[in-house]
Amino acid sequence: MEDFSCDVLIIGGGNAALCAALCARENHQNVIVLETSPKDWRGGNSQHTRNLRSMHIQPTDVLSDSYSEDEFWEDVWRVSGGETNEEYARFVISQTPQIIQWAKSHGVRFQPSLGGTLQLGRTNAFFLGGGKALLNAYYKRAEQLGIKIFYEHEAIDLHIQEDECKYILVKDKIVNKVSQWRAKTYIVASGGFESNLDWLKEAWGQKADNFLIRGTKYNQGLMLKALIKEGAKILGSPTQGHMVAIDARAPKYDGGIVSRVDCVSLGIVVNKNAKRFYDEGEDFWPKRYAIWGRLVANQPEEIAYSITDSKVLDKYMPSLFPPIIAESISDLAKKLKLDEIILKQTLNDYNQKVVAGNFNHTILDDCKTKGLEIEKTHWAQKIDTPPFYCYPLRPGITFTYLGVGVTKQAEVIKQNGEVCKNLFAAGEIMAGNILSKGYVAGFGMSIGSVFGRIAGISAANFNTKRGW
Ligand SMILES: Cc1cc2nc3c(=O)[nH]c(=O)nc-3n(C[C@H](O)[C@H](O)[C@H](O)COP(=O)(O)OP(=O)(O)OC[C@H]3O[C@@H](n4cnc5c(N)ncnc54)[C@H](O)[C@@H]3O)c2cc1C
């Protein structure tokens, strides 16, 4: 009998990893979790989350009204411009109601969701205390069940021979020592490569210098690199990902949700040349916010400015940072170091083309512009009531979509189409099976939870079938 450190070795310590760990343990497996961060920073991007998207056929204690599988799927289809995998997307969507029940049974608490510009009460279940509380609940349960967690242990490589993973190379960062860890099965749930500045630069060029990483600094993509090297099937492009426009004053890493700017659809956005460049009112903000990071990334110097006036001040959740306030557009231009004449011209052109309608931010209203090169199609109101407010915007990467191909049992697929029998993947690292462009809020945690659970169960089933 080979000498294994455990039945199931899990790489990563976020939502997908913990869902996998709990399911494997509940299926009688000896489980080890390797988390590269120190304990205080455990939980990767999942610690920054607030909710997950779930279908439901009638109101529940945490979700209002109903949200069918078809409607959920249509939302995914629309935001991705059809560039998604219907079979996999529906596979995840159909299992979302069980996720909420399962999470509750593992100590996670949910809250009734908020209204306002995000309007997610019908579609997204909010974690009470946010993602940090969700993870604390899962870690607590994991410890109660005897799952061993090794913090500051980074998986730096893996080795696949024929159709099996043979070992993982692990760096114990506390004593700075690298060793081989062998297990009967392995689950990679170590996120994307969004925290790896060199890799981002390789994909995006110099632009990447101005990107901010909204989440953890620990998702360096080491396992993704190892999977590429070992001949796993890789899906997607390194430039695709969830990228929102965030407050330009946010820190390089871990700015989290509070640095997001949610007033874009209520005003106009101009670039460094003081010109508008996209329809700010194209659709509800939760269905559009994920394209704005990329839009800003493609503007001169990768910066933009969201401008509103006092009329809409109470209609959105502010960023953590105070808005830049000015009593006149000239004053605003000076504060933003934008060309005053052009900014005034942009505002005048916009104001003149606003068609009066009934402003209602909870529906796709009839307030729009008519006659501009770039129209604003909803929620267009004149920006004419001082003071004027501005948030500077930078591209904020949430997570990358480049990922490894998996079966619906979460088994890693190789380039030649064969399946790696004892190697599974869950979460961001395989989200590219479904996400290749665009995003609907809350889907990341749905994908990670569904595939995390499947990976844990599949790993256990594999070991049981082998008679281990
Ligand atoms: C600010 C912010 C807000 C978000 N809000 C939401 C939301 O409300 N709803 C939603 O659905 N999605 C949200 N997301 C996206 C969501 O975080 C991800 O889709 C989801 O958390 C992915 O889970 P995961 O377990 O795959 O990755 P992560 O939670 O990032 O976990 C990856 C883990 O792997 C560890 N790790 C990485 N490399 C290694 C290695 N080599 N060895 C060992 N460990 C390693 C990391 O430390 C980390 O613990 C948000 C993301 C951010 C940044």
Side-chain angles (χ1 to χ4, degrees):
M1 189 64 185
E2 293 185 72
D3 184 20
F4 295 116
S5 18
C6 62
D7 298 328
V8 183
L9 182 59
I10 298 179
I11 296 127
N15 174 60
L18 268 289
C19 288
L22 291 168
C23 284
R25 182 71 195 117
E26 284 163 358
N27 282 275
H28 318 295
Q29 303 298 298
N30 218 315
V31 179
I32 286 179
V33 169
L34 301 177
E35 164 63 295
T36 184
S37 78
K39 187 173 179 185
D40 288 352
W41 284 99
R42 72 185 180 189
N45 283 341
S46 304
Q47 69 192 289
H48 288 291
T49 64
R50 296 181 307 157
N51 58 57
L52 67 80
R53 186 167 284 248
S54 176
M55 61 161 281
H56 54 106
I57 46 176
Q58 56 193 27
T60 73
D61 53 342
V62 294
L63 291 159
S64 60
D65 206 345
S66 67
Y67 187 49
S68 68
E69 180 185 317
D70 283 343
E71 193 184 348
F72 192 154
W73 156 246
E74 278 157 23
D75 283 340
V76 173
W77 187 84
R78 194 168 332 113
V79 296
S80 64
E83 288 182 39
T84 175
N85 179 322
E86 180 166 2
E87 186 190 341
Y88 275 55
R90 282 190 184 270
F91 177 68
V92 169
I93 293 167
S94 65
Q95 296 186 52
T96 48
Q98 291 103 284
I99 292 300
I100 294 181
Q101 291 316 318
W102 184 84
K104 280 184 185 168
S105 72
H106 289 77
V108 176
R109 295 197 290 158
F110 290 84
Q111 64 176 36
S113 55
L114 304 167
T117 52
L118 288 177
Q119 319 183 33
L120 296 171
R122 193 169 68 84
T123 53
N124 289 46
F126 279 69
F127 318 128
L128 186 68
K132 194 84 184 163
L134 169 132
L135 284 162
N136 286 344
Y138 284 159
Y139 271 103
K140 186 173 170 194
R141 185 60 60 92
E143 281 156 17
Q144 284 164 351
L145 293 175
I147 294 169
K148 289 193 201 99
I149 297 150
F150 289 81
Y151 295 103
E152 298 184 67
H153 279 64
E154 181 172 52
I156 56 173
D157 201 358
L158 58 75
H159 178 57
I160 296 173
Q161 199 180 318
E162 288 162 11
D163 57 0
E164 286 198 27
C165 180
K166 293 296 178 189
Y167 62 82
I168 305 268
L169 267 191
V170 180
K171 182 175 181 183
D172 176 342
K173 300 203 283 194
I174 303 161
V175 295
N176 200 19
K177 189 175 157 225
V178 174
S179 57
Q180 269 186 22
W181 289 48
R182 294 162 49 71
K184 295 172 187 169
T185 51
Y186 306 82
I187 298 174
V188 281
S190 46
F193 73 87
E194 56 276 350
S195 323
N196 188 325
L197 303 181
D198 290 337
W199 200 341
L200 289 177
K201 219 160 162 174
E202 221 174 272
W204 280 89
Q206 286 300 119
K207 281 177 188 298
D209 282 341
N210 280 324
F211 292 0
L212 301 173
I213 293 60
R214 300 178 65 211
T216 182
K217 64 179 177 191
Y218 292 103
N219 287 357
Q220 293 286 330
L222 294 182
M223 284 296 94
L224 195 51
K225 267 230 153 95
L227 285 164
I228 294 171
K229 166 181 72 70
E230 291 295 292
K233 178 180 170 186
I234 298 299
L235 304 166
S237 139
T239 60
Q240 282 296 347
H242 183 281
M243 220 173 164
V244 305
I246 63 169
D247 199 305
R249 297 160 292 183
K252 191 71 176 171
Y253 290 104
D254 283 306
I257 195 73
V258 293
S259 61
R260 205 170 80 189
V261 175
D262 279 339
C263 55
V264 165
S265 59
L266 292 162
I268 63 164
V269 179
V270 300
N271 60 18
K272 191 87 196 158
N273 301 329
K275 298 257 172 101
R276 287 178 63 237
F277 52 90
Y278 199 79
D279 176 3
E280 300 88 350
E282 191 176 42
D283 203 342
F284 288 117
W285 187 232
K287 292 183 187 162
R288 278 293 166 272
Y289 73 95
I291 65 168
W292 274 86
R294 181 171 290 272
L295 289 171
V296 175
N298 287 322
Q299 297 309 307
E301 296 179 37
E302 301 82 40
I303 192 153
Y305 304 89
S306 166
I307 299 172
T308 54
D309 68 6
S310 60
K311 289 200 294 297
V312 294
L313 193 58
D314 61 348
K315 302 248 175 328
Y316 62 91
M317 204 156 46
S319 147
L320 176 72
F321 299 88
I324 297 161
I325 305 173
E327 286 301 326
S328 68
I329 296 301
S330 304
D331 190 22
L332 188 66
K334 281 191 198 95
K335 286 188 171 171
L336 302 179
K337 299 193 175 68
L338 296 181
D339 186 300
E340 188 183 329
I341 296 169
I342 303 179
L343 185 63
K344 275 183 166 167
Q345 187 66 49
T346 300
L347 258 300
N348 280 343
D349 288 352
Y350 168 79
N351 284 342
Q352 275 173 20
K353 303 292 182 193
V354 167
V355 178
N358 292 315
F359 178 81
N360 184 346
H361 202 225
T362 63
I363 58 167
L364 292 169
D365 74 3
D366 58 352
C367 291
K368 57 185 180 211
T369 59
K370 203 160 176 214
L372 289 175
E373 196 185 324
I374 298 164
E375 303 283 18
K376 183 171 179 193
T377 51
H378 304 97
W379 313 299
Q381 298 192 99
K382 288 187 180 175
I383 299 176
D384 57 2
T385 314
F388 301 99
Y389 296 87
C390 172
Y391 287 99
L393 306 173
R394 286 273 185 212
I397 295 209
T398 316
F399 64 97
T400 46
Y401 292 169
L402 186 77
V404 61
V406 294
T407 66
K408 285 201 268 179
Q409 298 311 312
E411 298 148 316
V412 168
I413 303 173
K414 298 202 297 181
Q415 264 165 22
N416 63 10
E418 283 171 12
V419 154
C420 224
K421 290 189 299 204
N422 69 342
L423 180 60
F424 305 85
E428 277 176 14
I429 198 166
M430 49 63 63
N433 287 267
I434 299 166
L435 305 170
S436 51
K437 205 180 136 199
Y439 184 73
V440 282
F443 203 23
M445 290 296 275
S446 313
I447 295 170
S449 306
V450 167
F451 269 95
R453 290 184 62 211
I454 290 172
I457 293 166
S458 295
N461 287 344
F462 176 81
N463 287 341
T464 308
K465 263 195 224 136
R466 268 215 173 157
W468 272 336

